[in-house]
């Protein structure tokens, strides 16, 4: 029987790779719903190829543009795709009747409400949107447990941890060793950080990703968000998470057990492995991915430098403080990254902007979803001013 | 409830480390039977400490010496230990009523019949004696399956593979990556092999082990025997086993799956991890073993040089040919190693002696246990002359 997918963020790198897996295994997967923020040209191609029942574009004007494109195309005349827009459109794609699993591959806070809608509708979630868990991890995981819904991580690190926990007793877990490439400025002296320009930061050594996550990798905020994501996803204390710099990105993360044994998951740095695993779990698909070329490998490790990369320390702080602070960290980071990409602030200003916003926030304990969304809104406003 | 152990080879390095685990967790383990080949002094101490019901010494004269020692000791007057000798003694220790698990830690072919006796008596096996599976792996594994007995590997590599297979679907397995330290002569030019003396070979870089296995590590025959052991234990073709040289011995082995994902087990090079895991599986014990010090690690890998280390190729050949040939390989290797340790042949002669014996052997297909024991006997005689 085919697994029916809804893909939120189908035109981004995770979305496109998800569709490559669908293409490889047409007998196992069908695409029922598809959503993108702006790339209408690619979305139109995807609709023609995968024939979903629902397609969503965030912006209404672009949704009309999509309709016109499809009407102009010969193929689409046979397609009865419903075209929706806005957050309501995302929510409809998330909860669509024919869908078994939603792939949340949108960037930033936009993933939260559709993910909750999909969980409420009983869909399994392949989660590439870490902000969802950073902002509202407790709410999301509790609701998923209540609904008996599986949350399958798509981030390569969390997929690795998930794989390293398979077949093990949770009470034997000692700690999670979250690996990080260290980003392009691992060996750059801190004194030069003020001179870093977006084009330097966008040149990531091992992973090909979108702009926001590439900057997050350069500041190590990506790793910080992953720490919070891991805390939520695997229900462990942040004290049980140790970040290990591993520049080759071959070991995708590890789990240490109380007998001193460490289980690691390794692979070439290609996101398709984690995507396919989330899609097919507990099975593995023959995706023609080579294993790492061990005879010619050298794997090295370092401790992260939290002084040089204060974003990582800020994330640990936010995680420890809890409540609405992780949502504030996340929102301020989004604002800061965009300001840096727009050349409005320097690379060294990113953590300063986030820290200042966090310090001015009054944490709400045991927040409701609306408390979290309000904290998110507040932090965006506060950090933009 | 306590797990009751029978330890065959209690005075060797595996046996002594097994007893250290018992000592750490007296509420979980009891020693009911204990057996050693020659070290009566240590065996007497072990009997006084662990109070087994049965103790065995291989040699009858030494069994009498043990009885006298115990009678002379104040403590032993309260001990009602039965003292047995010979293979019959080993068999009795293996099948003893009160025993739940037998730890097979004897060296060489001597482990085979007691292991079968323990399986027939329904005991789980913690198997450190790889020769048992090399000689008669098909018989042992079939009988264990029939009896519903668990065979838990104690070799660190096989323990690693076992851990990397946990929670995974067997049909997703691609290959086993069996790591090898490469031994002390990994970087020694082949031309110098004829000059290697036992004292050089006994100086193993990462593992502290007995003499026979240390020489086997230097010739890579240990890895060859492990290939055959893995084939039997995990029921895979030798074509699915790739040996990878990894001098640091931190990754204890890996399993690659068909999606390109590789699961590895890592740990400091200390055999207690694998021993404790076999003893407590599926639980893990807090044995105060540190995890590897990742920030300061560099892990490297190489392809094995089968021309320089022909023993590894001979083992693959024996495995592929099957029948009685693995038993012949194993027996000829035992003879060759002892001849080398006694300065009767050179290091470079070891593979030659084994190869010659293998070439003169007429393979018996689908061998019975007596066919295997006869091949073992034949090969010892043939390689000694």
């Amino acid at each position: 029987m085919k697994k029916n997918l809804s893909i939120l963020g189908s035109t981004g790198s995770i979305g496109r790779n998800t569709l490559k897996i669908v293409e490889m295994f047409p007998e196992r997967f069908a695409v029922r719903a598809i959503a993108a923020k702006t790339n209408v040209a690619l979305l139109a191609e995807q609709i023609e190829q995968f024939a979903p029942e629902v397609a969503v574009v965030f912006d209404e004007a672009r949704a009309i543009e999509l309709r016109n494109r499809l009407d102009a195309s010969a193929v689409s005349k046979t397609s009865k795709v419903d075209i929706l827009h806005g957050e309501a459109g995302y929510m409809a794609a998330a909860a669509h009747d024919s869908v078994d699993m939603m792939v949340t591959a949108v960037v930033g806070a936009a993933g939260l409400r559709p993910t909750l809608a999909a969980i409420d509708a009983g869909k399994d979630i392949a989660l590439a949107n870490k902000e969802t868990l950073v902002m509202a991890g407790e709410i999301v995981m509790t609701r998923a447990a209540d609904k008996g819904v599986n949350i399958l991580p798509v981030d390569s690190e969390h997929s690795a941890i998930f794989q390293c926990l398979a077949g093990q007793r949770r009470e034997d877990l000692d700690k999670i060793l979250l690996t990080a490439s260290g980003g392009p400025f691992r060996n750059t002296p801190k004194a030069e950080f003020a001179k870093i320009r977006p084009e330097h930061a966008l040149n990531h050594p091992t992973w090909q990703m979108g702009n926001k996550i590439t900057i997050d990798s350069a500041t190590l905020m990506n790793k910080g968000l992953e720490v919070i994501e891991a805390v939520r996803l695997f229900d462990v204390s942040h004290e049980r998470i140790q970040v290990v710099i591993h520049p080759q990105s071959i070991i995708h993360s590890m789990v240490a057990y109380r007998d001193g044994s460490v289980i690691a998951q390794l692979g070439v740095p290609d996101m398709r492995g984690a995507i396919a695993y989330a899609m097919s779990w507990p099975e593995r698909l023959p995706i023609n991915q080579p294993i790492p070329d061990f005879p010619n490998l050298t794997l090295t490790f370092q401790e992260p430098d939290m002084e040089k990369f204060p974003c990582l320390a800020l994330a640990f702080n936010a995680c420890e403080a809890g409540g609405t602070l992780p949502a504030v960290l996340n929102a301020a980071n989004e604002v800061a990254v965009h300001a840096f990409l727009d050349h409005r602030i320097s690379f060294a200003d990113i953590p300063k902007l986030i820290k200042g916003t966090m310090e001015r926030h009054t944490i709400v304990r045991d927040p409701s979803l609306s408390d979290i969304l309000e904290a998110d809104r507040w932090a965006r406003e506060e950090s933009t001013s």
Side-chain angles (χ1 to χ4, degrees), chain A:
Chain A
M1 219 185 66
K2 282 191 191 185
K3 189 175 280 183
N4 295 299
L5 305 178
S6 173
I7 305 173
L8 259 63
S10 66
T11 57
S13 60
I14 302 275
R16 291 195 312 273
N17 279 296
T18 302
L19 289 171
K20 278 185 195 161
I21 307 289
V22 174
E23 208 168 39
M24 285 179 84
F25 302 96
E27 74 292 355
R28 297 189 60 124
F29 302 105
V31 180
R32 298 297 181 193
I34 206 166
K37 195 172 176 193
T38 51
N39 191 342
V40 168
L42 179 55
L43 192 62
E45 283 176 33
Q46 291 177 341
I47 291 166
E48 293 193 355
Q49 184 177 356
F50 296 99
E53 295 165 32
V54 177
V56 187
V57 193
F58 194 80
D59 183 65
E60 185 169 7
R62 286 185 195 252
I64 295 166
E65 187 192 332
L66 176 65
R67 177 82 276 167
N68 293 339
R69 266 179 191 269
L70 292 177
D71 287 346
S73 139
V75 183
S76 67
K77 279 173 187 157
T78 60
S79 165
K80 289 176 190 153
V81 62
D82 276 336
I83 298 187
L84 306 175
H85 66 268
E87 191 170 48
Y90 276 24
M91 306 288 270
H96 194 267
D97 265 355
S98 64
V99 166
D100 303 311
M101 168 179 270
M102 181 170 84
V103 181
T104 312
V106 294
V107 177
L112 176 54
R113 281 157 60 108
T115 301
L116 285 171
I119 291 171
D120 288 341
K123 319 298 190 193
D124 282 342
I125 308 289
L127 190 71
N129 173 266
K130 64 193 70 170
E131 292 86 350
T132 292
L133 289 184
V134 170
M135 292 174 70
E138 280 156 326
I139 293 173
V140 169
M141 295 308 291
T142 304
R143 218 181 275 190
D146 289 348
K147 284 279 176 183
V149 153
N150 294 304
I151 307 282
L152 296 153
V154 170
D155 247 349
S156 69
E157 291 81 356
H158 301 82
S159 177
I161 296 162
F162 186 73
Q163 293 180 52
C164 295
L165 289 168
Q168 303 294 336
R169 295 172 359 120
R170 277 304 296 271
E171 49 270 60
D172 291 338
L173 186 148
D174 176 22
K175 62 180 168 179
I176 289 172
L177 298 158
L178 188 68
T179 54
S181 73
F185 309 123
R186 186 169 48 88
N187 298 319
T188 307
K190 174 128 195 178
E192 292 173 25
F193 273 27
K195 287 183 270 168
I196 292 170
R197 295 177 61 80
E199 51 273 30
H200 308 137
L202 291 174
N203 186 20
H204 190 274
T206 49
W207 292 96
Q208 289 304 313
M209 306 169 295
N211 283 357
K212 155 79 167 49
I213 191 170
T214 302
I215 303 302
D216 285 347
S217 294
T219 62
L220 292 202
M221 180 57 93
N222 183 52
K223 208 49 54 180
L225 297 176
E226 285 179 7
V227 168
I228 304 175
E229 187 184 2
V231 163
R232 301 305 178 214
L233 209 43
F234 304 114
D235 194 21
V236 295
S237 158
H238 65 279
E239 288 166 344
R240 287 192 182 269
I241 299 185
Q242 181 185 338
V243 174
V244 178
I245 304 295
H246 168 50
Q248 298 81 25
S249 299
I250 295 293
I251 296 183
H252 295 165
S253 275
M254 305 183 257
V255 176
Y257 293 94
R258 63 176 183 170
D259 58 353
S261 177
V262 176
I263 305 293
Q265 191 267 341
L266 301 82
V268 295
D270 183 312
M271 61 180 72
R272 264 174 295 178
I275 294 171
Y277 190 69
M279 290 167 72
S280 65
W281 173 86
E283 296 179 43
R284 294 177 182 276
L285 298 173
I287 56 171
N288 296 325
Q289 187 102 283
I291 68 165
D293 180 26
F294 285 101
N296 298 307
L297 277 184
T298 297
L299 305 181
T300 63
F301 307 89
Q302 293 171 21
E303 256 175 297
D305 184 339
M306 297 238 198
E307 249 179 84
K308 201 163 128 181
F309 296 103
C311 285
L312 182 56
L314 290 173
F316 269 103
N317 296 347
C319 192
E320 188 173 1
T324 43
L325 201 58
V328 167
L329 169 95
N330 176 63
N333 179 57
E334 280 190 35
V335 171
V337 169
H338 287 118
F340 170 66
L341 286 170
D342 291 349
H343 303 266
R344 286 185 278 112
I345 66 171
S346 81
F347 188 77
D349 287 338
I350 296 174
K352 290 177 195 159
L353 185 58
I354 300 163
K355 186 164 186 255
T357 309
M358 284 171 68
E359 282 169 355
R360 290 190 297 279
H361 181 62
T362 308
I363 297 174
V364 181
R365 301 271 152 217
D366 298 317
S368 66
L369 184 60
S370 61
D371 291 333
I372 289 166
L373 293 171
E374 170 54 24
D376 175 78
R377 192 203 56 73
W378 173 88
R380 280 168 208 276
E381 202 177 279
E382 186 72 16
S383 51
T384 304
S385 59

